[in-house]
Amino acid sequence: MATSVQHDLEELRTRALADLADAVDAPAGEIWEKTYLGPKGELTLFLRGLGALPADERPTAGRAGNALKRELEAAWDSRHRILAAADLDQHLAADAVDVTLPGRPPTIGAAHPVSQMIDELSEIFALLGFQTVFGPEVETAHYNFDLLNIPADHPARDVWDTIHVDLPGEIVMRTHTSPMQARVMEQTEPPVRVVVPGRVYRYEAQDASHEWMFHQLEGLAVDRTITMADLKGVLAELARQLFGPNRRIRFRCDFFPFVEPGVDFAVDCAICGGKGCRVCKQTGWLEMGGAGMVHPKVLAGVGYDPAVYTGFAFGLGIERMTMMRTGVDDVRAFAGNDLRFLRQFAGFA
Amino acid sequence: MRVPLSWFSDFVDTGLSPRELAHTLTMAGLEAEKITTIGDGWDNVFVGLVARVEPHPDADRLVLATVQAGDHALTVVTGAPNIASGQKVALALAGARLYDGHVEGQVLKTLKPGTIRGVRSEGMVCSEKELGISEEHEGILVLEADAPIGAPLAEWLGDTVIEFEITPNLVHAFSILGIAREAAALCDKPLRLPDAPSLSAAPTGPADLVTIEAPDLCPRYAAVVIEGVTVAPSPPWLQRRLLAAGLRPINNVVDVTNYVMLEWGQPLHAFDRDNLAGGRIIVRRARPGERIETLDHQHRDLSDETLVIADAERAVAIAGVMGGVDSEVSNRTTTVLLESANFAMGSVRATARAQKLRTDASARFERGIDQNLVLDAAGRATRLLLDLCPGSRVAAVSDVYPRPVLPREIQMPFREFERLLGVRLEPETVVDALARLGFGAEIDGDHLRVTVPTRRGDVTLAADVVEEAARIVGYETLPETLPTGETPPVRRDSRHRLSRDVRDTLVGCGGFETVSYVTLHDADVACFADGAGVGFLHTVPRDGLLRLRNPIQSDRAVLRPTLVPSLLEVAAANLRHESGVRLFEIARTYLPSGDTLPSERTVVCLAMAGRRDPIGRFGSDDRRLADGDRHPTDDGHLDFFDLKGSVEAVLDRARVAVRFEPATHPALHSGRTAAVLAGERRIGLLGEVRPDVAAALGIETTRVAVAELDLDAMLDLREPLAGVRIPRFLPVAQDFAVVVAEATPAASVEAALRAAAGPLATSVDLFDVYRGSQVGTDRKSLAYRVVFTAPDRALTDAELVKVRDRIGKTLKQRIGGELRA
Ligand SMILES: [Zn+2]
């Protein structure tokens, strides 16, 4: 091969590599590529000019030219990658945001805390084999009182301040979810295991702990072998599901005409661990509701033989459960429907 | 029921602190609501002796008293009219915290030494009000002669009062003695009964002293005639006990009847026998037109079901409720006829309700008092009266009690304890627990024979006996188990499930769920009424509206046939502090049914108003701009179409196929109201509220859109979920701009498009509405994107051209529409 050709090639190589090193950004790189490797680039023209060489020099010069082409292409490839990456980095830098700005809010609302608690209780009791059923809110005195062993001329009726509906017969806004005890038992053969959530109504002046409309959840289990220990076990399970795995349940003797024995039940205060604090009014216990063994007269009233069947029943205040768990301290907030109250329950449960 | 522990401890020593005692009784069913300490703040108050009283040198109404307490003698300036030398008084020294005797209510102040009209007063002689014992502040409190001079007053007069809530079943514990009996049983301590001598040795009165003409309402009546009585104020100890228990002292005779009622739970009444015509008692029903003036000076009409105590001529008391003024004990009374009787609980309750007169007596009688208490209480009252009135004597006793009540026997299998409680109790434990409560209990093989004292009328069944034993043993021993046996199938309630789905959907649409009151305001009734009736989706004739007889607020008595007014009220309240609201509620409406109970239909109600995006911190929002193409009137405020979007989302979720048609409602915007129809069935109504109606409800600044859907109807109409295969071949999208007359509803255009496009069209979506010069006046262009998919092949251009032609023709024929190129 003629020395001049070899020399030319060497000179081209040196210059091209030096230029490539000088190309500091993507546009400069594009120009370099065009200058040396493009269709009208120097190396392309050189290779094309090989035809003019004497035939015996052509193969050697061609091999040398192609080797240079592969070398420059490889050099370009690696240089190009670096430049492109640098270029992208520059774009991204320009596209930076203040990541501490708040997110773009999707439009999402919230279920009412009462619905959330009802759904949660319904789910817990389903796991314990209790079916959720619903009953009428406008109820006859027969179901609301008589079948629950609360006779008309008895002072026990005064325990429930009743709102009456202007209809023939004695029709009331149900004062508790208990009327469904009788309705369910009338329609089913034992065994029975149901919970009944829903609105209840009392003729009562409103204050931070009293509402005339609120929600309860009634529970009822009737079978041949249901005992008060079962009641305690089920309520302890409920307390642990709602308030934590170490909670304990306490029964206190109380009177409800439709249960005998009757108790109210409390859970030990999770905040102070039972030592006494402001939330539990220094007692260490928080009252959850009333419960007991279904009164034999209630069983007999729906045609169940009290000598064969026993049952337990309990009632919980839904708002009360939510208040105990969240620290809301005014029951009127629930029917108040202030969005500033409701919004905080978007993340509850 | 207020129980002063000084009184209570006459009958039992429990060895417990007040707090422990309250807890023990509470756990056993007698709930202690409050513990108050009398004398809690009486530091620096002592028992003093008034040694000398002299006139104040400089003031007519004041005196200087020299009061001796311990070794000191202090000078006190006072205006008390009743102060006299030799009295034992409550002497307060500087620093004592006393209630202000000269202002209403209880205001504490600290006593400072002061100079009154030139004389230095070194302390104060206190009135009852200043000590917080009663409201009495005319004169000073005078203590008993045996009060120890110089002792802290709290040691002599201090007391602790526990206030119990007595549940309706616990009449046996509606007395201090009854509560002491419970405490004795719980603590296993002996009970000391008060001194109540038997009256059986007393002279029997004339045969007609007491006549019971209504034995069904009065099973027993005892009268004790006491002569030589001097009516006077009761001694201080008796007054103090009554005050501590919450009753006002009146005179010794009346105070004794109240004292015994509080102590024994048996109401008593005292008549001035000289004012009883014929000196006789007749227990009978009131006569037609009979009236009485009761002790509260009310003239009362008596019905023929009212049981009265009468003399030979007229009613002198309403039995078990209140006495009459004619036979009231007064200062002139010398002969008292003391009544201790038992009246039927239902009768007393009915009378007290009819007369709107609940008294301490009626509250006890209506719970059913032990008939065997009558003579014990009479004996106790007689003893006290004879003690208080030296020289008085029992002249006659008559006890009419034709059918004495005997203790009830309950035979029960012993396994009943385990059957109900789920834990085995030892027979000895049960027998002991019952014995402590005064029950007889004998084990007889595998049975238990229980003798129930007559005061426990509430114990009639085996289950009652189980409770008595359990509350003495204590529930803390009860194990925790889970029910065994067959588990009935748990079925999910389909309405509850749909409610949850709908709630989830609406929460996802930005809605906040509300729980609002179930009554409507009278003003709402007017806004939501027309000729047909009152309501929204469901209407009720005005005279068919369900009303509460005793609503919490008199102008909110109507049970709602629609939730819309309730949600508008919530929206109005929230718009005071929110720029936009999206609310919904799933609840019952109450509709007349012609049956005993109304029909309760569950509906979903939605309300939206105000700004769509409460915070616009990202400036222009792509979604909103895109939406502006479909709804050119959009101004960033929630309107009919936001509402409709949520309604459609709910119906999609419920899988109910519907169409929307223009509709009207008296409260809604005439041009922005639609009915939701499933077939011919109207299952929903939505629209924007008329501005005048919204303003009446307190929303003036913005559009308000409301909807109501019948959830129960949706439940009936749910369609099965049809599984769709993902097509193997790519879909082809084509746009169709359809020019139609302005009046043509979009729904008609879409229906025509779908009909012509046939089953290959898998979706048809409106993406632009254009009005303007390119389509001419009174015309609009609706642009749809139609996606064509064939399940089995790639669609060819030729096929698509054919479909396009067919669409063009159909649009022209059906709705006079034209395809724009
Ligand atoms: Zn606590």
Side-chain angles (χ1 to χ4, degrees):
Chain A
M1 183 171 70
T3 324
S4 67
V5 173
Q6 205 168 14
H7 179 266
D8 287 352
L9 270 178
E10 189 52 40
E11 187 273 334
L12 179 60
R13 179 177 177 273
T14 310
R15 191 157 42 84
L17 290 175
D19 281 359
L20 186 58
D22 287 346
V24 294
D25 57 11
E30 303 296 335
I31 291 167
W32 182 90
E33 200 232 353
K34 210 170 155 190
T35 309
Y36 293 99
L37 297 176
K40 289 177 182 161
E42 282 191 46
L43 185 60
T44 316
L45 293 178
F46 172 83
L47 289 173
R48 217 175 277 159
L50 288 177
L53 289 178
D56 61 333
E57 286 182 27
R58 270 185 240 155
T60 317
R63 269 194 300 275
N66 278 324
L68 180 59
K69 189 180 181 194
R70 279 192 299 275
E71 185 187 354
L72 289 186
E73 274 174 351
W76 165 238
D77 196 48
S78 78
R79 183 74 186 154
H80 174 69
R81 267 176 223 243
I82 292 164
L83 294 178
D87 191 52
L88 183 59
D89 283 345
Q90 217 170 353
H91 271 97
L92 295 180
D95 195 35
V97 294
D98 175 359
V99 295
T100 67
L101 278 176
R104 191 173 280 119
T107 319
I108 296 179
H112 194 277
V114 162
S115 304
Q116 296 189 31
M117 183 53 81
I118 288 175
D119 285 352
E120 189 178 351
L121 291 171
S122 174
E123 193 183 310
I124 291 170
F125 281 108
L127 296 174
L128 292 166
F130 287 75
Q131 177 167 337
T132 301
V133 297
F134 297 85
E137 292 174 19
V138 182
E139 190 51 284
T140 61
H142 180 65
Y143 283 104
N144 196 78
F145 294 122
D146 300 345
L147 284 178
L148 293 168
N149 191 31
I150 313 168
D153 58 353
H154 198 274
R157 238 185 223 203
D158 298 346
V159 174
W160 293 271
D161 295 309
T162 309
I163 297 177
H164 295 268
V165 181
D166 194 5
L167 281 170
E170 198 183 353
I171 309 296
V172 302
M173 298 305 288
R174 67 173 171 193
T175 57
H176 41 194
T177 40
S178 313
M180 272 303 277
Q181 285 190 27
R183 286 186 178 273
V184 168
M185 286 191 281
E186 278 181 346
Q187 285 159 20
T188 339
E189 288 299 312
V192 171
R193 282 193 206 176
V194 294
V195 288
V196 190
R199 298 189 188 213
V200 299
Y201 305 86
R202 302 276 170 88
Y203 185 75
E204 194 145 18
Q206 291 162 283
D207 63 29
S209 45
H210 295 92
E211 250 296 359
W212 71 271
M213 179 189 85
F214 57 100
H215 296 73
Q216 282 186 339
L217 179 125
E218 189 84 3
L220 175 71
V222 183
D223 200 352
R224 290 169 189 270
T225 59
I226 296 286
T227 69
M228 207 156 176
D230 294 339
L231 170 65
K232 199 174 181 185
V234 164
L235 293 175
E237 185 57 28
L238 168 71
R240 286 161 200 160
Q241 294 270 7
L242 284 182
F243 302 112
N246 300 317
R247 300 276 65 81
R248 286 177 300 131
I249 278 286
R250 185 185 79 176
F251 279 178
R252 179 185 88 77
C253 182
D254 202 355
F255 171 70
F256 304 96
F258 39 98
V259 287
E260 187 73 27
V263 293
D264 62 37
F265 58 103
V267 59
D268 63 329
C269 177
I271 293 169
C272 62
K275 285 189 203 67
C277 68
R278 190 188 55 83
V279 173
C280 58
K281 296 191 187 108
Q282 308 306 330
T283 63
W285 296 92
L286 291 162
E287 253 181 62
M288 289 179 70
M293 298 302 289
V294 181
H295 198 286
K297 285 185 187 165
V298 174
L299 292 173
V302 296
Y304 286 12
D305 183 353
V308 175
Y309 294 106
T310 54
F312 67 65
F314 59 86
L316 299 169
I318 301 286
E319 284 85 350
R320 192 176 166 74
M321 293 301 104
T322 307
M323 290 166 82
M324 281 167 64
R325 197 153 74 171
T326 61
V328 171
D329 61 0
D330 190 334
V331 70
R332 290 168 296 192
F334 291 92
N337 296 307
D338 191 309
L339 282 169
R340 292 167 295 185
F341 172 74
L342 296 177
R343 215 170 261 130
Q344 65 192 323
F345 292 97
F348 169 62
Chain B
M1 171 91 211
R2 291 167 56 91
V3 176
L5 291 186
S6 59
W7 194 346
F8 169 91
S9 55
D10 283 358
F11 312 125
V12 65
D13 297 315
T14 59
L16 300 178
S17 71
R19 191 161 290 281
E20 289 166 338
L21 177 65
H23 177 74
T24 302
L25 287 164
T26 296
M27 295 307 290
L30 274 162
E31 190 173 4
E33 295 189 305
K34 205 167 137 194
I35 303 178
T36 45
T37 313
I38 297 173
D40 210 8
W42 293 349
D43 299 333
N44 280 341
V45 186
F46 301 90
V47 176
L49 172 70
V50 181
R52 205 163 56 244
V53 179
E54 299 156 293
H56 190 287
D58 226 9
D60 291 347
R61 293 219 185 138
L62 298 177
V63 294
L64 305 183
T66 306
V67 183
Q68 189 194 327
D71 301 334
H72 308 279
L74 305 168
T75 304
V76 173
V77 182
T78 175
N82 62 332
I83 193 162
S85 66
Q87 285 172 338
K88 298 275 179 69
V89 295
L91 174 69
L93 304 182
R97 303 270 296 156
L98 298 171
Y99 295 100
D100 193 330
H102 303 287
V103 299
E104 278 291 306
Q106 295 205 314
V107 181
L108 267 179
K109 57 169 195 180
T110 303
L111 184 65
K112 296 183 200 112
T115 302
I116 303 172
R117 298 269 182 118
V119 180
R120 189 173 159 77
S121 184
E122 296 171 291
M124 188 167 105
V125 182
C126 306
S127 69
E128 291 184 6
K129 173 155 186 178
E130 283 156 342
L131 292 168
I133 300 174
S134 77
E135 283 297 297
E136 180 60 50
H137 65 277
E138 284 301 307
I140 53 163
L141 168 66
V142 179
L143 303 170
E144 282 93 330
D146 54 348
I149 299 167
L153 186 70
E155 275 175 23
W156 178 247
L157 268 196
D159 204 347
T160 301
V161 180
I162 307 183
E163 206 165 324
F164 291 97
E165 193 202 319
I166 309 290
T167 53
N169 59 325
L170 293 183
V171 68
H172 70 279
F174 204 164
S175 65
I176 290 163
L177 186 56
I179 290 170
R181 184 180 277 116
E182 285 280 309
L186 290 164
C187 302
D188 203 9
K189 301 281 184 191
L191 181 75
R192 291 185 295 271
L193 286 177
D195 179 26
S198 164
L199 289 170
S200 52
T204 319
D208 67 349
L209 178 62
V210 173
T211 311
I212 300 177
E213 290 181 359
D216 52 330
L217 304 184
C218 176
R220 185 176 192 182
Y221 195 105
V224 181
V225 179
I226 302 172
E227 294 176 342
V229 169
T230 315
V231 176
S234 296
W237 66 267
L238 200 160
Q239 294 202 21
R240 265 204 313 277
R241 283 193 166 180
L242 288 181
L243 280 169
L247 286 187
R248 197 168 46 90
I250 294 167
N251 60 47
N252 51 4
V253 176
V254 174
D255 290 354
V256 161
T257 61
N258 282 331
Y259 186 90
V260 173
M261 175 185 71
L262 293 174
E263 191 174 85
W264 290 73
Q266 167 70 51
L268 303 173
H269 186 68
F271 298 97
D272 182 334
R273 197 196 181 192
D274 296 334
N275 289 334
L276 293 177
R280 313 175 43 196
I281 290 291
I282 301 162
V283 187
R284 58 167 170 83
R285 288 179 164 81
R287 299 199 175 109
E290 196 163 13
R291 306 187 80 209
I292 186 172
E293 184 185 353
T294 41
L295 289 173
D296 55 358
H297 298 288
Q298 299 290 309
H299 292 269
R300 296 175 184 274
D301 293 316
L302 304 173
S303 85
D304 57 1
E305 273 309 302
T306 310
L307 185 71
V308 298
I309 312 303
D311 59 14
E313 291 166 4
R314 70 227 192 279
V316 292
I318 301 178
V321 181
M322 191 177 267
V325 291
D326 292 349
S327 56
E328 188 179 4
V329 170
S330 71
N331 292 337
R332 293 180 304 279
T333 302
T334 56
T335 306
V336 164
L337 185 144
L338 195 66
E339 164 196 295
S340 181
N342 193 282
F343 305 111
M345 54 193 286
S347 163
V348 173
R349 179 173 160 83
T351 299
R353 296 201 128 198
Q355 296 290 348
K356 296 190 168 59
L357 182 61
R358 264 182 71 92
T359 58
D360 288 318
S362 76
R364 286 171 172 80
F365 279 121
E366 70 171 25
R367 294 168 191 233
I369 301 173
D370 181 11
Q371 295 177 22
N372 291 328
L373 199 53
V374 161
L375 221 52
D376 288 341
R380 173 68 171 153
T382 302
R383 154 66 53 226
L384 286 168
L385 256 187
L386 297 183
D387 287 352
L388 297 186
C389 302
S392 59
R393 69 206 160 271
V394 176
V397 173
S398 180
D399 177 19
V400 183
Y401 188 23
R403 296 174 56 195
V405 174
L406 298 174
R408 180 184 284 114
E409 295 250 320
I410 298 176
Q411 280 265 16
M412 56 188 283
F414 193 78
R415 66 173 184 85
E416 199 64 10
F417 289 95
E418 190 170 356
R419 190 173 85 102
L420 285 177
L421 298 176
V423 64
R424 209 188 117 72
L425 297 183
E426 292 306 320
E428 309 82 69
T429 312
V430 169
V431 170
D432 173 63
L434 293 174
R436 274 152 67 176
L437 287 165
F439 288 62
E442 266 178 69
I443 301 284
D444 181 4
D446 55 3
H447 273 64
L448 180 71
R449 197 165 51 239
V450 180
T451 311
V452 183
T454 54
R455 63 175 172 271
R456 295 305 306 273
D458 58 316
V459 176
T460 61
L461 302 170
D464 300 322
V465 176
V466 171
E467 177 172 75
E468 290 305 308
R471 72 191 184 93
I472 297 296
V473 174
Y475 287 110
E476 63 273 16
T477 58
L478 211 58
E480 288 173 12
T481 56
L482 288 177
T484 52
E486 184 196 341
T487 310
V490 178
R491 300 217 163 75
R492 294 178 298 168
D493 181 272
S494 56
R495 189 193 288 116
H496 188 211
R497 288 186 70 201
L498 180 58
S499 300
R500 268 154 72 154
D501 284 354
V502 167
R503 184 187 307 129
D504 283 353
T505 304
L506 288 172
V507 166
C509 293
F512 282 87
E513 188 186 16
T514 65
V515 168
S516 58
Y517 296 116
V518 294
T519 49
L520 295 189
H521 194 278
D522 291 342
D524 298 331
V525 173
C527 285
F528 285 77
D530 63 6
V534 180
F536 193 76
L537 175 59
H538 305 294
T539 50
V540 174
R542 221 173 236 278
D543 57 3
L545 285 172
L546 296 158
R547 287 176 182 276
L548 302 180
R549 286 203 176 130
N550 54 334
I552 302 294
Q553 283 172 262
S554 60
D555 53 2
R556 291 180 188 266
V558 173
L559 273 179
R560 59 188 181 185
T562 166
L563 273 54
V564 171
S566 311
L567 255 72
L568 288 174
E569 195 174 337
V570 174
N574 275 296
L575 283 169
R576 282 188 221 120
H577 49 81
E578 304 284 331
S579 61
V581 296
R582 290 175 171 92
L583 305 170
F584 73 94
E585 182 160 339
I586 304 168
R588 316 269 178 97
T589 55
Y590 310 87
L591 310 169
S593 69
D595 227 331
T596 313
L597 292 178
S599 150
E600 297 181 17
R601 276 196 92 78
T602 304
V603 299
V604 189
C605 184
L606 291 80
M608 295 181 181
R611 292 204 62 82
R612 187 175 295 121
D613 297 305
I615 303 173
R617 64 172 166 264
F618 288 92
S620 70
D621 180 306
D622 296 344
R623 188 174 58 79
R624 196 194 310 155
L625 287 179
D627 195 61
D629 295 339
R630 296 206 298 186
H631 304 119
T633 57
D634 180 52
D635 61 356
H637 281 72
L638 293 158
D639 66 7
F640 178 85
F641 292 108
D642 294 281
L643 178 77
K644 189 179 174 191
S646 289
V647 166
E648 288 169 326
V650 165
L651 293 163
D652 282 352
R653 176 74 180 256
R655 293 196 307 277
V656 176
V658 297
R659 61 181 199 282
F660 292 82
E661 282 184 1
T664 57
H665 181 275
L668 296 183
H669 187 310
S670 52
R672 291 176 171 232
T673 298
V676 184
L677 296 152
E680 288 316 304
R681 190 167 169 192
R682 183 158 149 159
I683 65 161
L685 182 66
L686 65 156
E688 287 181 17
V689 178
R690 289 174 59 93
D692 52 348
V693 172
L697 296 165
I699 308 172
E700 302 203 22
T701 54
T702 186
R703 293 177 187 275
V704 192
V706 291
E708 199 160 63
L709 299 171
D710 188 325
L711 192 95
D712 289 332
M714 285 160 63
L715 209 52
D716 300 340
L717 294 165
R718 298 196 81 168
E719 290 173 357
L721 180 67
V724 176
R725 260 218 186 132
I726 296 173
R728 285 170 55 212
F729 298 91
L730 284 179
V732 183
Q734 292 213 335
D735 292 349
F736 296 84
V738 188
V739 179
V740 290
E742 183 62 63
T744 308
S748 309
V749 179
E750 188 181 320
L753 252 177
R754 281 186 184 276
L760 291 180
T762 46
S763 74
V764 177
D765 288 305
L766 177 73
F767 66 89
D768 187 38
V769 178
Y770 171 78
R771 293 177 177 83
S773 55
Q774 294 184 37
V775 294
T777 49
D778 271 343
R779 295 180 77 72
K780 62 187 175 188
S781 166
L782 305 179
Y784 290 88
R785 172 152 301 174
V786 181
V787 176
F788 296 95
T789 321
D792 52 352
R793 62 187 191 281
L795 291 167
T796 63
D797 286 351
E799 265 180 299
L800 291 169
V801 167
K802 252 166 75 185
V803 171
R804 196 172 185 92
D805 285 350
R806 193 163 69 228
I807 288 173
K809 272 180 209 140
T810 309
L811 288 171
K812 183 157 247 152
Q813 284 164 9
R814 280 225 199 163
I815 53 169
E818 254 175 80
L819 278 184
R820 216 151 51 105

